[in-house]
Amino acid sequence: MDSKISTKCAAELTGNGVCSTQEPRLQYKCLRQNVVSKDVLSAVCTAAIRSQMAESAMDLRLDPFVGEFCSKELTDATDPVGAICSVKPRREKLACLKDNRESVSDGCKSKLFAREKDAAGDIRLDPLLVQSCATEITTFCSALSFGAGSMLPCLWKNKGKPNFSENCLEQLTKKEVTVNTDYRLNYKIQRQCSVAISTLCPTEVTEVAHSASPRFSGEVLSCLKHNYKRIVEPLCQAAIQNVVVPQAQNIFMNQPMHEACMTGAMDYCCENIIYCHDPSKGGEILKCLKSHYDEVSDALKFGLVSHCQNDMESICSEQLADVNADSMIHGGAVLSCLVKSMQEIKDQTCKDDVKRYIRSAATFWKANKSLQTACSIDVNQYCNGVMAGSGAVNDCLVENIEKHNGVSQQCIDAEFELLKAELADSEVYPVLQKMCAREIREFCDKAHDGSGGMVTCLQDAKEKEGFGLPCLQVITKVIRLQNLDSRLNPNLEKFCSSDINVLCLNEHHRQNDNTNSKLGHKVLDCLVDKRADIKAPQCKFLVKRLEVQRTDDWKIAPNVHEMCQNDVVKFCTDVNGNGDGEVHQCLSEHLKELEEPCREAEFKVQVLKEDGISLNPKLRKSCAADADRWCAGVEDGGVVKCLQGHMEDDAMSGGCVKKLQKENKKLAVSLDYNLSLKKACKTTLSEFIQQGKPGCTFTSPLGVLGFAGKLGQTEGAKIKCLTSNIKDVKDKSCQAEVRNKISIESKNVNNVAGLRETCKADVDTLCPNMEVGGGRIVNCLVGAVDSIKSEACKESIANLKSAQKFDVGLNPVVKKACASEKRAFCKESTSSDLGPCLMAASIKQQDFGVKCGKAIKKYGIVGVERIFGFSGGGGIGSGSGSGSGSG
């Protein structure tokens, strides 16, 4: 603690002082929290605290709370807020944090609010406001003292005077919005109305403190206004009057009114989305709403009768005939019909009215009569205590529907129709409009809405620089919902209808016929499972989007999210669960340990990731530059194989090599991960199993990973069946795929399932201190196969050596040693003819390299011994010190 504060506040810190019982590290916090309270701190102590806070306002590094909890937002240019605030001058950093408060971390948000609360009543602690209003303070308020909460009302009272600058008005408006939407930031209210708050508004105080949005709700201030006549303290009444005046002039300063009326404002009073969220326009918006009061209320109260008569008769005739004719709102049935059929409405004014109605329901669930009727019991049961507004109750209901917590079917149906409307047209999705206003302007200003165009555009832009966290959270929720039901994705419903009817007809029927099928994701799962058979190009593209989304975030993959909750807690609590495939990677590393339902769900995702590099977030990011260099123009599904072919290239980045090594290790586990190998060798594998080829006799059925467990075959059993019998593979496509697999296995001991474990003792003995990769350990074992002790290791290495004899190009050491000879003498040879060609060249060509000859002889190419006169095997290092590439 600052020594000056320790001296000035000695009475408060010692003896029976208000902060004397606090631990030393908490004493300064205690002093700050009491600086606004009436007669708690001495004047000298109060002045010292406010002086220190003024200094830290100019340089937040001096604030022990904001400086620590907002460090990333203040200094890290890679953080969304940090990119904006880190470059601001010191005196503007506090204002920058406030302007971006919705995007900062929870810890920063809390400490920022605490600072504003402690600083209430003294605008000197808001340096940008003081700087912007220096002239106005001198001109209009010079007779007042700082620190008593009088300066703000004075400035606001004089804001319409000549020479009152726009810059000051802008900062003043921002300040007034905060002090008039949360009582804890209003110095006068805190000091003069504490008794009234505790006696008249205890419920509101409790609800605000425990709500999902505990700041800036305006509920306590509304309570004080409603109870104004019951308040007996004149100073409290005066403080409330100071709140009422600005609230009557600007809608942003009356938060409950703002929440209730912004739907109408969007329709009648805003030039664009940005205008409707600009506090400086709050006065104009409020005047406009007053002038449109009847239009706003009547359209919502009376079933949109005036503009929608023709559309109601043509689209909703059945509902018109069935409901009570005496009810102008038609029992809500006609409105529900219009909502479901919004895209069919012909009259644009009627469509606009319906949109406004949906927006109102999306914000306040009770604004929709059908929703209120259907969900009242469910709201009381599942969302009791959730503060209405901003779609919070609807979000609560949807969350409980997702969790299958027992929400009634009529409520599920009503919420589902609201979701469909919101996701089809962002204009009726007020939360998205509010949270994504800047992103819509910067990234999607030309996107077409009405069929999910805006939502799709925002999904595509979510990884772009400058995409804010609040909008990202909304879009992530949208992606999750659209992965739960095909009907929530209007484009997919449109472009995949024919494929759904062919490939997923049973799931489609069950989805439409079963009342309990909402958010059941069976149709989408079917499309993903049968993605190879999809015909419509646009549908194929949309399903690929689902694949990318599901492999990126485990919460978006429905089956993994449903089945793996326990396993994620057990194995992945320290893993970032917000995308980039982190949790999927963690689960895959523990695949054999997962509960069976989770294992099956995660295994499907891991298979899915092999469809293309776009489905493997970590690999995609680490290898982006390498893919551009070597694999430009290669289709998504072939990029990984292309990169694998360049792993030995010295120019490949280390990060990409490491990720490819992990990928190759994964590919060794199951044939199902090797999509092209599985497809090309389907018939061959079946024949080998029927014929009982070596390595193809399975003692028990293979499970989801392609292995049967301790009593059956090992991991990679089907792969081994193919690679150990490559000489008998007749199909050219299968032969090429098996050859590629053996080539990968030859480059790293981790690329054969279980090989590193079974050969560990032999590696320690025969290949000590040898680095993994580059084929070094594998080919050391191949060269010393007769000395291997482990039978399982010897069998695997013998199979590999046999394959390399059949095709010398599969041995990376031979391939490298004989590169010059291949170019000089055998450039037209196929992979299987390369060995005989090199042997023939060694007889005929005097300049044939000794290093190549030794490599061929060492790794057992039949017939070379008699040419070079070598004998015996030896370790990997024998005979490798002489010879040139070409003589």
Side-chain angles (χ1 to χ4, degrees):
M1 188 187 303
D2 188 281
S3 59
K4 183 171 69 173
I5 293 177
S6 298
T7 302
K8 301 286 187 182
C9 299
E12 287 79 2
L13 297 172
T14 58
N16 294 323
V18 66
C19 299
S20 60
T21 60
Q22 296 290 328
E23 297 177 19
R25 63 187 183 87
L26 298 176
Q27 285 183 329
Y28 176 68
K29 181 179 181 182
C30 172
L31 291 172
R32 270 187 38 170
Q33 289 174 336
N34 283 283
V35 75
V36 179
S37 302
K38 190 174 183 179
D39 302 325
V40 173
L41 305 183
S42 67
V44 173
C45 180
T46 298
I49 295 294
R50 288 199 178 276
S51 175
Q52 194 282 335
M53 291 183 69
E55 291 174 6
S56 64
M58 300 295 290
D59 186 351
L60 287 177
R61 293 175 300 177
L62 302 177
D63 189 307
F65 307 114
V66 176
E68 177 185 354
F69 285 85
C70 301
S71 174
K72 195 170 186 179
E73 289 84 349
L74 290 169
T75 60
D76 188 354
T78 64
D79 181 79
V81 176
I84 303 169
C85 297
S86 62
V87 297
K88 294 285 187 183
R90 288 179 184 174
R91 68 169 58 240
E92 295 181 20
K93 288 184 182 292
L94 180 60
C96 181
L97 289 178
K98 292 178 184 177
D99 288 344
N100 293 277
R101 74 169 74 240
E102 291 300 325
S103 301
V104 302
S105 67
D106 289 341
C108 178
K109 193 178 295 183
S110 174
K111 297 304 177 185
L112 184 61
F113 183 81
R115 180 189 170 84
E116 291 177 276
K117 184 171 66 171
D118 297 343
D122 194 340
I123 67 169
R124 290 174 300 181
L125 306 184
D126 193 330
L128 189 57
L129 174 62
V130 173
Q131 178 186 353
S132 302
C133 297
T135 301
E136 288 77 3
I137 291 171
T138 302
T139 303
F140 305 114
C141 307
S142 59
L144 299 176
S145 300
F146 287 100
S150 301
M151 200 62 71
L152 272 180
C154 173
L155 288 172
W156 188 258
K157 179 181 178 181
N158 290 282
K159 64 183 173 59
K161 299 270 181 80
N163 302 322
F164 201 100
S165 68
E166 289 294 323
N167 194 22
C168 177
L169 181 59
E170 179 185 356
Q171 297 304 320
L172 177 63
T173 301
K174 289 181 179 179
K175 187 70 173 179
E176 284 284 345
V177 167
T178 62
V179 302
N180 289 297
T181 52
D182 197 302
Y183 74 103
R184 292 161 294 186
L185 303 187
N186 191 306
Y187 180 86
K188 295 283 190 181
I189 293 291
Q190 277 200 77
R191 286 181 67 90
Q192 310 300 346
C193 297
S194 58
V195 174
I197 290 173
S198 62
T199 57
L200 300 174
C201 307
T203 303
E204 287 75 8
V205 170
T206 302
E207 287 179 352
V208 168
H210 293 90
S211 73
S213 302
R215 295 177 279 273
F216 305 109
S217 69
E219 293 297 324
V220 175
L221 290 171
S222 293
C223 171
L224 290 173
K225 289 196 302 182
H226 294 155
N227 289 283
Y228 181 82
K229 292 183 179 180
R230 297 174 62 190
I231 295 173
V232 296
E233 299 89 354
L235 291 178
C236 179
Q237 289 181 332
I240 296 171
Q241 289 171 7
N242 283 336
V243 171
V244 171
V245 171
Q247 285 190 345
Q249 297 172 353
N250 189 313
I251 192 171
F252 286 89
M253 298 181 193
N254 187 329
Q255 188 61 19
M257 182 190 291
H258 178 261
E259 288 281 357
C261 297
M262 285 313 288
T263 299
M266 290 289 293
D267 285 322
Y268 294 102
C269 306
C270 295
E271 299 170 3
N272 51 52
I273 297 169
I274 306 303
Y275 185 100
C276 230
H277 292 93
D278 184 354
S280 68
K281 308 297 183 186
E284 299 172 25
I285 294 172
L286 187 56
K287 289 179 182 178
C288 171
L289 284 171
K290 289 178 180 178
S291 68
H292 287 280
Y293 175 78
D294 290 336
E295 296 165 75
V296 172
S297 59
D298 285 348
L300 295 179
K301 286 180 181 177
F302 302 117
L304 305 90
V305 174
S306 58
H307 300 132
C308 295
Q309 190 62 42
N310 293 334
D311 286 298
M312 286 191 294
E313 292 174 355
S314 61
I315 300 172
C316 307
S317 57
E318 182 178 343
Q319 287 78 8
L320 277 171
D322 286 348
V323 298
N324 180 5
D326 294 330
S327 172
M328 294 189 72
I329 60 170
H330 306 291
V334 175
L335 275 176
S336 297
C337 170
L338 289 173
V339 168
K340 292 179 182 179
S341 310
M342 186 174 65
Q343 301 306 320
E344 302 175 36
I345 296 174
K346 300 287 193 295
D347 187 285
Q348 188 59 46
T349 304
C350 175
K351 182 175 286 190
D352 291 341
D353 284 346
V354 173
K355 285 184 178 181
R356 185 174 65 255
Y357 177 76
I358 298 170
R359 276 201 302 273
S360 179
T363 304
F364 293 97
W365 69 285
K366 289 185 178 180
N368 183 316
K369 182 176 177 63
S370 296
L371 192 62
Q372 182 180 3
T373 302
C375 296
S376 291
I377 295 175
D378 298 282
V379 170
N380 288 332
Q381 182 173 352
Y382 301 107
C383 307
N384 190 19
V386 175
M387 187 174 291
S390 300
V393 173
N394 291 320
D395 287 344
C396 171
L397 288 171
V398 171
E399 181 180 345
N400 281 279
I401 293 170
E402 284 185 64
K403 293 179 179 178
H404 308 289
N405 283 344
V407 178
S408 66
Q409 190 59 48
Q410 63 266 26
C411 184
I412 292 175
D413 293 341
E415 278 292 339
F416 188 77
E417 292 304 322
L418 179 60
L419 278 176
K420 281 176 64 177
E422 286 183 310
L423 298 181
D425 192 335
S426 70
E427 289 184 12
V428 302
Y429 196 167
V431 174
L432 183 141
Q433 291 283 351
K434 179 179 179 180
M435 296 301 182
C436 298
R438 180 175 58 80
E439 287 76 12
I440 290 172
R441 183 182 69 250
E442 292 185 12
F443 304 120
C444 301
D445 61 325
K446 296 182 180 178
H448 296 289
D449 225 327
S451 59
M454 183 64 71
V455 166
T456 300
C457 175
L458 289 170
Q459 289 177 8
D460 292 339
K462 69 184 178 70
E463 294 186 7
K464 291 184 179 179
E465 185 177 353
F467 200 96
L469 180 61
C471 184
L472 179 62
Q473 291 172 336
V474 175
I475 291 302
T476 301
K477 172 191 169 185
V478 168
I479 293 172
R480 190 184 75 250
L481 289 171
Q482 290 190 328
N483 272 270
L484 289 174
D485 200 299
S486 62
R487 292 165 291 186
L488 298 180
N489 189 327
N491 281 324
L492 190 140
E493 280 281 275
K494 176 181 178 182
F495 292 109
C496 292
S497 58
S498 59
D499 284 298
I500 289 173
N501 287 331
V502 173
L503 302 174
C504 308
L505 189 59
N506 290 335
E507 291 82 359
H508 184 56
H509 284 328
R510 283 197 293 271
Q511 176 177 271
N512 291 333
D513 296 341
N514 188 348
T515 56
N516 296 309
S517 66
K518 303 295 192 302
L519 306 182
H521 57 82
K522 296 303 181 186
V523 171
L524 293 175
D525 292 350
C526 172
L527 285 173
V528 171
D529 290 343
K530 298 180 180 180
R531 56 195 179 277
D533 300 320
I534 294 174
K535 302 298 183 185
Q538 189 66 16
C539 180
K540 194 179 288 285
F541 170 78
L542 292 170
V543 173
K544 187 63 171 284
R545 286 175 64 92
L546 295 179
E547 296 178 57
V548 172
Q549 293 163 357
R550 292 182 174 197
T551 54
D552 182 65
D553 190 337
W554 77 286
K555 295 176 184 176
I556 291 171
N559 291 308
V560 175
H561 190 230
E562 291 170 12
M563 303 298 181
C564 296
Q565 301 277 348
N566 293 337
D567 287 306
V568 169
V569 172
K570 184 176 181 180
F571 299 110
C572 309
T573 51
D574 296 331
V575 176
N576 173 22
N578 295 322
D580 277 351
E582 295 273 12
V583 173
H584 284 310
Q585 178 66 33
C586 170
L587 290 173
S588 72
E589 292 170 357
H590 295 276
L591 209 54
K592 288 187 287 185
E593 305 164 72
L594 303 179
E595 296 174 6
E596 186 62 28
C598 175
R599 183 188 306 149
E600 292 189 12
E602 183 56 40
F603 178 74
K604 281 191 172 185
V605 171
Q606 293 301 321
V607 172
L608 200 62
K609 289 174 69 172
E610 301 307 322
D611 259 7
I613 195 170
S614 65
L615 302 172
N616 194 324
K618 290 290 186 184
L619 185 63
R620 180 180 72 234
K621 290 182 178 180
S622 297
C623 295
D626 302 283
D628 289 341
R629 178 173 186 172
W630 287 298
C631 309
V634 177
E635 290 187 2
D636 186 56
V639 173
V640 173
K641 185 178 287 188
C642 168
L643 290 169
Q644 287 169 335
H646 291 276
M647 282 185 70
E648 305 304 319
D649 197 306
D650 292 337
M652 178 169 275
S653 65
C656 184
V657 170
K658 288 181 180 179
K659 287 296 185 292
L660 285 171
Q661 287 172 343
K662 276 191 172 183
E663 174 69 8
N664 288 337
K665 185 177 181 181
K666 170 192 168 182
L667 293 173
V669 171
S670 174
L671 178 64
D672 289 316
Y673 293 155
N674 300 263
L675 303 183
S676 56
L677 175 65
K678 181 181 180 181
K679 181 179 180 181
C681 298
K682 181 179 179 180
T683 301
T684 300
L685 178 65
S686 178
E687 292 173 351
F688 282 3
I689 293 173
Q690 289 179 355
Q691 295 165 11
K693 291 280 187 184
C696 303
T697 303
F698 306 126
T699 56
S700 59
L702 299 184
V704 70
L705 300 182
F707 70 97
K710 293 181 180 179
L711 300 178
Q713 303 301 317
T714 60
E715 292 176 318
K718 293 180 180 178
I719 297 173
K720 183 180 177 182
C721 169
L722 292 167
T723 56
S724 61
N725 293 284
I726 186 173
K727 290 185 289 187
D728 297 326
V729 177
K730 307 302 182 187
D731 182 90
K732 296 296 183 184
S733 297
C734 178
Q735 191 178 94
E737 290 293 337
V738 175
R739 182 184 183 279
N740 180 67
K741 188 63 181 176
I742 296 173
S743 176
I744 292 173
E745 291 180 341
S746 300
K747 293 175 182 176
N748 194 308
V749 69
N750 291 320
N751 295 348
V752 180
L755 186 62
R756 186 167 190 175
E757 291 76 16
T758 57
C759 294
K760 185 179 186 306
D762 292 295
V763 170
D764 292 343
T765 302
L766 302 172
C767 315
N769 303 319
M770 190 167 288
E771 186 180 351
V772 175
R776 286 176 284 270
I777 292 179
V778 173
N779 287 284
C780 167
L781 293 171
V782 168
V785 64
D786 293 334
S787 301
I788 294 175
K789 302 298 184 185
S790 165
E791 290 301 322
C793 178
K794 179 177 284 189
E795 180 187 358
S796 296
I797 295 300
N799 287 333
L800 192 56
K801 183 172 183 177
S802 175
Q804 291 179 350
K805 280 185 177 183
F806 173 73
D807 186 344
V808 68
L810 296 177
N811 188 314
V813 175
V814 176
K815 189 176 180 180
K816 184 174 182 180
C818 297
S820 297
E821 285 72 19
K822 183 185 179 201
R823 286 194 300 270
F825 311 124
C826 304
K827 62 182 178 181
E828 301 297 331
S829 296
T830 63
S831 59
S832 58
D833 294 335
L834 181 59
C837 174
L838 289 172
M839 285 191 288
S842 67
I843 298 171
K844 298 176 183 179
Q845 307 296 332
Q846 293 184 354
D847 59 349
F848 194 90
V850 176
K851 185 182 288 187
C852 177
K854 285 184 177 181
I856 294 175
K857 181 246 176 209
K858 180 175 181 177
Y859 293 107
I861 303 302
V862 178
V864 180
E865 291 88 342
R866 64 178 179 80
I867 298 170
F868 289 95
F870 298 145
S871 63
I876 188 97
S878 64
S880 61
S882 61
S884 60
S886 57

